[in-house]
Amino acid sequence: MTDPAAHQNIDTSVPHSARIWNYWLGGKDNYPVDEAAGDAYTAVFPGIVTIARSSRAFLRRNIGYLVSEAGIRQFLDVGTGLPTAENTHEVAQRLAPEARIVYVDNDPMVLAHARALLYSSPEGATAYIDADVTDTDRILAAAAETLDLSRPTALILSNILGHVADDDQAHAIVDRLMGALPSGSYLSVNDGSLGIDPVFEEAQEHYNNSGAVPYNLRTVEAITSFFDGLELVEPGVVPVTRWRPEPGSPAPEVIAEHGGLARKP
């Protein structure tokens, strides 16, 4: 399969959301322009680092539930971003070595790091697809080369739907991907939330004007609506810090990043 991103140059002159996110997570796969944009953001809203790391922790707990309690062994992670610690396949295959994971992203730098994602356990499989989140037909066709889409699969949409500004288009993406998955599959969504923290919203507005690809915050109700027709796992759509926190952890703070997990009946 030919990857269009393989033929793109990595533009280091403008900040890029995946590289800025990587910087906030403590990764090294970023450039001075990304660090500058990330620092400018944290100067207005230092809590973005907490949001980034809490989002990653939420995903880790989601996957733990999916493998250990729901028995899921297949994952389609769309908009994966740059590899950092505790990637989907690392968490899943640590618990179930036979787990199979397909990552989807369309960033040339992510593609350049795809080999870091491809170290699967011998029993399982890990694959990478170069595709835009809006190209659902390509995603499903390529995913079917690694996953058996007639079996329950978890669809992971972590901080990606915010890059789809139009609500109807975002819903169409979710509906098309989940519609191709059988009963017993799961949807995991988390995104920045509107109406929680005005300082965060101000920082996000500045970020969207910086030249990076805009990221659009949505209300909690709008994020919840992506799960329409599915069975939400308790505690529903909540701040990511409050989704099944580790036993004995400090009381989690409310942050402007909401997420949930739901089963397709």
Side-chain angles (χ1 to χ4, degrees), residues 99-188:
R100 304 176 74 84
I101 295 88
V102 170
Y103 291 102
V104 181
D105 209 293
N106 71 331
D107 178 75
M109 187 166 178
V110 175
L111 182 63
H113 286 76
R115 291 188 181 186
L117 293 175
L118 293 175
Y119 287 107
S120 172
S121 64
E123 302 93 333
T126 306
Y128 178 89
I129 300 170
D130 171 41
D132 188 89
V133 64
T134 61
D135 195 353
T136 52
D137 288 344
R138 174 179 170 81
I139 289 171
L140 291 168
E145 297 176 12
T146 300
L147 307 178
D148 179 356
L149 297 183
S150 68
R151 295 176 51 221
T153 301
L155 172 63
I156 309 292
L157 297 170
S158 181
N159 287 293
I160 185 63
L161 293 175
H163 288 299
V164 183
D166 184 81
D167 286 346
D168 290 340
Q169 184 182 27
H171 277 276
I173 290 167
V174 174
D175 292 346
R176 173 73 177 103
L177 294 174
M178 284 304 296
L181 303 180
S183 172
S185 294
Y186 282 80
L187 171 65
S188 172

Side-chain angles (χ1 to χ4, degrees), residues 158-166 170 190-192 208 213-218 226:
S158 181
N159 287 293
I160 185 63
L161 293 175
H163 288 299
V164 183
D166 184 81
N190 64 285
D191 265 302
N208 287 349
V213 177
Y215 180 86
N216 305 278
L217 305 179
R218 286 189 168 91
F226 290 121

